[in-house]
Structures are given as C-alpha cells and as structure tokens.
C-alpha cells in the first residue's frame, strides 16, 4: 500500500494533504504557544522537524526489533532522547529562543504528531520512506506555524519576523499575541484553510483530499 | 518557598485554577481539551482521570528528581525519566483500577492511555522542578492545575453540546469553531489575572 508511494509523494502528503496542523489538527499546544511571532514559530518548527526526522529514522530502523506490546514506551524513549538533544542544542546556541519557548521545548516529547507518525508510519515502513514522511510532516508543521505566527505578529505587533511593517501609526491589537488570541486566530485560520480546501476539493473532486 | 498556611493555600488554588488556568493561559493539555470535549460526561471523566494522574505524577517525579537524578548529577535526563515515570504510572493506575475498583476503571479506563501523551501532565512535572516547589506544593500544583483543566474541559463540552444544533458555516464546523470558542472563554479567564500576586 504505502510502500508503493514514491518518496516525493510521501513528502508532499506530509506538507499538504495531511498537513499535521491544518488537516490532522495534531499538536495544538505547541501551535498555540509558539506562534506569538513568526520567529518563534520557525524555531519550534525546526526543532520539531529535527525530532520527527530523527525519531522516524531510528524507529523505522528498529521496527523489527521492538516487541509489539512495548512499542509505545520504546517510541517515547527514542523521541525523548532526540528532544533532549534538541533542547541542549537550542540552549547552547539560541538562548533567546530557549527563553521564548521555555517549557514547550521539552514538551515536544508529548507532541501528538511525533508519536502519531511513529505509530502510523515509521513503525511499518522502510527507513527512506519514514525519513521522507518525517521531513514532510516537519516541513508542513513548520510552514503552518510560520503562517499563524506571521498573522499573529502582524496583528499584535505590526511586524513580521521582527521587521516593522505597518509603521508607527498602527495601533497593535495586543490580544493577538496574548493567550486568547492564539485560540481565536488559529481557529479563524483553520476555518479559512478548510474553506479553501473544500473549494479546491469540489473543483477536482475525487483527487483524494479528505475534508 | 511559600510557607504552608491557609491563606497561601487558598491563593495558590485560585491562582492555579483560575488566573493561570492550564488550558486558557498556559496552553497545556489542548489535545484532549479539543479531542474529548464533545460530551459533558466524557469530558468530566477525562478531567477526573487527569486530576488523579497529575497529582500522583507530581509526587513520583519529585521523588525521582530529588532522590535519584540530583544525587547522580543526571538532571539533564529529566524529560526522559519523567515521561517514563508517567507512562509507567498510567499503566499501574490502569492495572490497579482494573483489579480493585472495576467501577472506576469502567468509567475512566478508556481515557487512561491517552493521558500519557497529555502535555499538561509532563508540563506540570517540569514546571514543579523549574519553579522549585517542595513536595507538598508540587502535589498541590498538580492537583489544582488538573482541576483547572477539569473546569475548562467541562465548560467547553457544555458549549459544544449546544453547538450541535446551531447553524455554523461548513468550513468552521468542528475544530475551528471550537478554537474560537476556547479563545472567547480564554478572554473571560483573562479577567482573573491579577486576582493573585
């Protein structure tokens, strides 16, 4: 089934058709917490991509050795090892990001996307396909985080990636970068993406895009 | 470190449940918050199960951190060891309930495996360490944090039960509208900020 898919197909599937944030709606907590600005979104995205790629490769390599009954704890150990590595790297080289994301870096361990991909894909597929899946899901996650981050930063601070865009006359809507803004803006963007997908799905009916 | 007095206790409770609510102001535990909140009954079951596990997990990880990791100088292994403690704990709780309290097991059973990947549980154990709470405050932080989660998920389920019969744009059905509602609730909870210093 999946083994017949091309590597490119697996990658594109992760970025678009099964985008972890907009299509599967997994990993909501880091999505909300890391998108107060575009830079944090990018940082969280890269960290999660690294973990996804590493854990998918290792779990795929070990898939014939891990007994079925203890597979979830085994997956979690692999994932948390990568998360600890990422945490140390960020702490050493990007301390500002480490302070901004705080507790959400170790919490990548319980990001549903990573365990879900381990369970649904890496535990059953070859190493290269799992790597493509991890990378695709990670890139899809990162792009979605950047999109939400750009919108929230623009509305809440008038800037994008720290560059002032809307000028000094713009009165920022602070709520966008506060806790409620995360929920509201994510909800609105998700709704807009859904309606775009629905329209595209109607135009090319039966192309395999599940609503 | 706060002294344990009645005033501190009450302030801490208000702080955890209302002003620093796990869902609405810290974004912890959003996956079950959105996933298991379609009915009030199941939401309450999930909330109770989380409360139970978060209190126990706070206690166990406190012991593991200060009596095993710190003496060995292995503090950097906190994430790995905590998630294993939580996974094992959830498994034990499940087995224990199945044997001794089958009625409770039937009520909570299906939620227990989900709790391992609830970021509120791992989150609270890591916060206990970074905020340097002692054992008592750690456990209270876990229990009250989870009560805040329980409050949030039950409120959400109540709102979503009513949504079923309302006319929502197709693209907004399900998650998008739930997120917007959560945002509006979060605005209300913002009003509790500053209640406790």
């Amino acid at each position: 089934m999946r083994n017949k898919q091309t590597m490119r197909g697996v990658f594109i599937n992760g970025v678009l058709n099964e985008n972890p944030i907009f299509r599967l709606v997994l990993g909501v907590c880091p999505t909300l917490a890391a998108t107060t600005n575009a830079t944090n979104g990018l940082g969280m995205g890269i960290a999660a991509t690294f973990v996804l790629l590493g854990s998918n490769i290792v779990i795929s390599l070990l898939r014939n050795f891990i007994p079925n009954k203890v597979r979830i704890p085994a997956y979690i150990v692999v994932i948390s090892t990568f998360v600890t590595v990422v945490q140390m790297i960020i702490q050493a080289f990007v301390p500002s990001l480490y302070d901004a994301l705080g507790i959400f870096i170790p919490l990548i361990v319980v990001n549903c996307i990573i365990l879900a991909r381990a369970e649904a894909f890496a535990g059953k597929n070859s190493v290269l396909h799992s790597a493509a899946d991890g990378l695709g899901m990670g890139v899809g996650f990162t792009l979605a985080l950047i999109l939400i981050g750009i919108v929230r930063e623009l509305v809440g601070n008038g800037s994008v990636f720290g560059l002032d865009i809307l000028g000094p006359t713009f009165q920022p809507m602070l709520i966008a970068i506060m806790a409620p803004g995360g929920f509201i803006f994510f909800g609105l963007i998700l709704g807009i993406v859904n309606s775009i997908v629905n329209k595209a799905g109607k135009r090319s009916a039966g192309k395999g895009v599940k609503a | 470190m706060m002294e344990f007095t009645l005033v501190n206790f009450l302030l801490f409770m208000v702080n955890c449940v209302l002003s620093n609510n796990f869902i609405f102001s810290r974004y912890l535990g959003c996956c079950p918050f959105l996933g298991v909140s379609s009915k009030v009954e199941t939401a309450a079951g999930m909330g109770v199960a989380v409360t139970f596990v978060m209190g126990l997990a706070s206690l166990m990880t406190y012991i593991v951190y200060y009596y095993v990791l710190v003496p060995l100088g292995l503090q950097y292994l906190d994430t790995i060891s905590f998630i294993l403690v939580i996974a094992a704990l959830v498994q034990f709780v499940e087995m224990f309930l199945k044997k001794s309290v089958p009625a409770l097991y039937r009520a909570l059973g299906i939620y227990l495996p989900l709790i391992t990947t609830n970021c509120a549980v791992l989150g609270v154990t890591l916060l206990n360490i970074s905020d340097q709470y002692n054992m008592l405050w750690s456990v209270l932080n876990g229990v009250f944090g989870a009560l805040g989660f329980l409050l949030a998920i039950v409120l959400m389920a109540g709102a979503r039960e009513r949504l079923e019969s309302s006319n929502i744009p197709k693209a907004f059905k399900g998650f998008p509208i739930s997120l917007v509602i959560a945002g509006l609730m979060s605005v209300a909870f913002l009003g509790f900020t500053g209640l406790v210093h």
Side-chain angles (χ1 to χ4, degrees):
Chain A
M1 305 182 296
R2 284 222 189 234
N3 280 325
K4 284 180 187 158
Q5 276 180 311
T6 58
M7 303 266 297
R8 195 164 152 268
V10 173
F11 178 79
I12 301 286
N13 182 50
V15 179
L16 294 175
N17 297 1
E18 286 189 20
N19 184 297
I21 292 185
F22 290 134
R23 308 304 301 143
L24 306 179
V25 198
L26 290 172
V28 179
C29 307
T31 310
L32 294 169
T35 54
T36 47
N37 60 49
T39 319
N40 286 352
L42 179 65
M44 169 56 84
I46 292 173
T49 306
F50 176 82
V51 176
L52 256 170
L53 186 60
S55 68
N56 260 15
I57 290 174
V58 170
I59 288 167
S60 175
L61 282 171
L62 295 174
R63 70 186 186 281
N64 296 326
F65 301 99
I66 297 174
N68 203 29
K69 276 192 177 165
V70 293
R71 66 182 193 286
I72 299 289
Y75 294 168
I76 289 178
V77 173
V78 172
I79 293 168
S80 52
T81 309
F82 277 103
V83 170
T84 308
V85 171
V86 166
Q87 188 181 0
M88 286 171 166
I89 293 174
I90 295 179
Q91 194 171 10
F93 295 106
V94 208
S96 60
L97 185 68
Y98 186 80
D99 292 336
L101 295 180
I103 191 179
F104 285 93
I105 297 172
L107 285 182
I108 296 175
V109 175
V110 283
N111 188 330
C112 321
I113 301 166
I114 295 168
L115 194 63
R117 291 331 284 175
E119 171 79 7
F121 200 96
K124 295 170 194 151
N125 287 283
S126 72
V127 176
L128 285 177
H129 280 90
S130 302
D133 180 68
L135 201 60
M137 284 286 161
V139 170
F141 184 62
T142 310
L143 289 177
L145 284 184
I146 294 175
L147 175 67
I148 302 171
I150 285 176
V151 174
R152 283 181 69 187
E153 193 184 345
L154 193 65
V155 178
N157 201 25
S159 59
V160 170
F161 283 108
L163 295 170
D164 205 344
I165 299 257
L166 296 177
T169 50
F170 175 70
Q171 185 68 43
M173 263 172 71
L174 265 185
I175 194 141
I177 49 174
M178 289 167 79
F183 289 106
I184 296 176
F185 278 77
F186 181 30
L188 293 178
I189 295 172
L190 189 61
I192 293 167
V193 169
N194 272 352
S195 74
I196 294 170
V197 170
N198 287 347
K199 280 207 183 103
K202 256 179 222 159
R203 221 177 295 144
S204 59
K207 216 182 166 190
V209 184
K210 276 172 273 173
Chain B
M1 181 48 59
M2 284 180 290
E3 222 180 310
F4 187 80
T5 59
L6 187 65
V7 175
N8 277 346
F9 175 81
L10 290 175
L11 287 179
F12 189 72
M13 184 170 80
V14 172
N15 184 34
C16 288
V17 177
L18 298 177
S19 24
N20 271 321
N21 187 287
F22 259 63
I23 302 276
F24 292 130
S25 73
R26 289 183 182 167
Y27 297 136
L28 290 171
C30 296
C31 286
F33 173 69
L34 292 171
V36 201
S37 61
S38 46
K39 282 203 185 99
V40 173
E41 268 175 35
T42 50
M46 182 72 185
V48 173
V50 167
T51 311
F52 195 55
V53 173
M54 263 170 75
L56 269 178
S58 297
L59 178 68
M60 296 306 291
T61 53
Y62 181 90
I63 294 170
V64 167
Y65 189 81
Y66 286 104
Y67 295 100
V68 179
L69 294 182
V70 172
L72 295 173
L74 294 174
Q75 287 94 327
Y76 62 90
L77 288 181
D78 55 354
T79 314
I80 299 184
S81 46
F82 285 6
I83 190 73
L84 284 179
V85 167
I86 292 167
L89 188 71
V90 169
Q91 200 86 65
F92 276 121
V93 168
E94 198 178 341
M95 288 194 295
F96 172 78
L97 287 183
K98 204 172 184 177
K99 278 260 180 209
S100 341
V101 203
L104 194 60
Y105 175 77
R106 272 196 299 279
L108 303 183
I110 50 167
Y111 310 113
L112 283 171
L114 290 175
I115 292 175
T116 312
T117 53
N118 181 341
C119 49
V121 181
L122 184 61
V124 80
T125 61
L126 293 168
L127 282 174
N128 285 338
I129 303 299
S130 66
D131 291 351
Q132 297 181 323
Y133 288 133
N134 66 17
M135 192 188 282
L136 179 67
W137 288 112
S138 294
V139 175
L140 290 178
N141 193 24
V143 172
F144 290 146
L147 287 178
F149 174 82
L150 174 67
L151 177 69
I153 197 171
V154 170
L155 285 176
M156 186 69 192
R160 280 182 73 175
E161 277 188 355
R162 301 223 163 180
L163 271 185
E164 302 235 317
S165 55
S166 46
N167 190 10
I168 307 159
K170 196 180 153 219
F172 272 85
K173 274 196 177 131
F175 283 115
I177 194 76
S178 308
L179 280 163
V180 174
I181 292 175
L184 297 177
M185 284 185 187
S186 175
V187 174
F189 272 74
L190 211 58
F192 293 116
T193 317
L195 210 60
V196 180
H197 291 287

